[in-house]
């Protein structure tokens, strides 16, 4: 009776761990199948968020240019000007701290009754950082303008010079320029940007100069 009891007890003890091990083996692949797809569903989320913050290119040419830039193909073969390669001169002196120039134009007719009656000279706007040195060429000009208080305003000649890998490719020379408006960006404790000044410049005409090659 002792052998039967021990044999029966031993067989029941051996079967119980085997059944538990088999159940764990059957459940384990099922748990892994549920866990693995979760990170795969979250991976495409970040690239979609980055694409939403990129401004859509305007126009067919800019769409092709953006696609070529993304793939690294065709950008070097474009015979054009780069928007970030330029500088500004005032009376032949190069101006530092210029961010942007808007309103650049070399030709605009003044029309009356659908007939040209002369030339129109739209203003340009130069956006630059606020600089503290009063002896800088632009600061001298703006100080003289403010001191004039609407009387005869001081004039300068301005040149917008386009560059291509350090080589001058074209310049627009504006004659008899005078400042009609100076505006500053907002002071804001929540921002760490540099304060900008936008200088609106009127002029008496522009000459477009092409370098000799």
């Amino acid at each position: 009776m002792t052998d039967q009891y021990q044999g029966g007890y031993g067989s029941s003890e051996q079967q119980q761990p085997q059944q538990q091990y088999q159940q764990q083996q059957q459940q384990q692949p099922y748990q892994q199948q549920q866990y693995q797809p979760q990170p795969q569903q979250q991976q495409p989320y970040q690239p979609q968020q980055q694409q939403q913050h990129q401004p859509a290119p305007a126009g067919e040419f800019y769409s092709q240019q953006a696609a070529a830039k993304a793939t690294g193909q065709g950008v070097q073969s474009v015979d054009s000007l780069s928007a970030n390669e330029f500088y500004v001169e005032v009376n032949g002196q190069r101006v530092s701290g210029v961010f942007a120039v808007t309103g650049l134009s070399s030709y605009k007719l003044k029309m009356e009754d659908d007939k040209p009656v002369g030339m129109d000279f739209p203003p340009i706007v130069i956006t630059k950082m606020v600089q503290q040195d009063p002896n800088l060429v632009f600061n001298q000009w703006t100080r003289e303008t403010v001191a004039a208080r609407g009387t005869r305003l001081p004039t300068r000649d301005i040149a917008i010079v386009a560059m291509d890998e350090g080589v001058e490719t074209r310049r627009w020379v504006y004659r008899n320029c005078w400042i009609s408006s100076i505006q500053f960006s907002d002071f804001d404790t929540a921002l760490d940007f540099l304060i900008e000044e936008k200088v609106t410049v009127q002029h008496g005409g522009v000459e477009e100069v092409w370098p000799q090659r």
Side-chain angles (χ1 to χ4, degrees):
M1 294 182 62
T2 303
D3 294 338
Q4 292 178 359
Y5 176 77
Q6 291 178 351
Y9 179 78
S11 63
S12 62
E13 286 290 320
Q14 292 176 357
Q15 292 177 359
Q16 186 173 0
Q18 291 178 357
Q19 293 177 355
Q20 293 179 354
Y21 177 77
Q22 292 177 356
Q23 291 178 357
Q24 292 177 358
Q25 290 294 327
Q26 294 176 357
Q27 292 177 358
Q28 188 173 1
Y30 176 75
Q31 294 176 354
Q32 291 178 353
Q33 291 176 0
Q34 289 183 339
Y35 177 76
Q36 289 179 355
Q38 291 181 357
Q40 295 178 359
Q41 294 178 355
Q42 295 177 357
Q43 287 177 358
Y45 177 75
Q46 292 182 351
Q48 290 179 359
Q49 191 176 23
Q50 293 176 358
Q51 292 177 359
Q52 292 177 356
H53 291 282
Q54 296 177 356
E60 182 179 358
F61 172 75
Y62 295 101
S63 300
Q64 295 175 356
Q65 189 178 25
K69 185 176 180 180
T71 58
Q73 299 177 354
V75 178
Q76 292 82 2
S77 62
V78 177
D79 181 17
S80 184
L81 299 177
S82 178
N84 61 354
E85 291 191 68
F86 73 97
Y87 66 87
V88 177
E89 291 181 350
V90 175
N91 279 1
Q93 298 185 40
R94 189 164 177 169
V95 179
S96 61
V98 176
F99 295 142
V101 178
T102 56
L104 191 66
S105 174
S106 59
Y107 182 81
K108 185 176 181 181
L109 285 174
K110 182 184 294 183
M111 305 293 292
E112 290 183 4
D113 297 330
D114 296 332
K115 295 180 180 180
V117 295
M119 296 296 296
D120 197 3
F121 305 125
I124 60 174
V125 178
I126 299 175
T127 303
K128 59 184 295 292
M129 68 172 65
V130 175
Q131 295 168 302
Q132 301 182 26
D133 187 355
N135 296 319
L136 295 176
V137 59
F138 225 105
N139 285 349
Q140 289 180 349
W141 187 17
T142 55
R143 288 165 57 201
E144 293 175 11
T145 300
V146 173
R149 297 291 182 182
T151 59
R152 184 175 180 84
L153 296 175
T155 61
R156 302 285 195 277
D157 289 344
I158 294 180
I160 313 299
V161 184
M163 306 290 291
D164 184 10
E165 297 183 354
V167 180
E168 180 178 333
T169 58
R170 198 182 309 181
R171 65 170 55 211
W172 293 262
V173 181
Y174 291 84
R175 307 293 185 184
N176 299 322
C177 300
W178 50 275
I179 298 174
S180 62
S181 174
I182 302 175
Q183 294 180 318
F184 299 91
S185 59
D186 297 337
F187 283 89
D188 192 334
T189 58
L191 302 177
D192 58 355
F193 301 145
L194 295 176
I195 296 296
E196 299 177 350
E197 59 179 349
K198 291 182 179 293
V199 183
T200 302
V201 177
Q202 311 289 338
H203 58 90
V206 57
E207 178 186 0
E208 189 170 3
V209 181
W210 296 69
Q212 297 180 355
R213 296 187 179 182

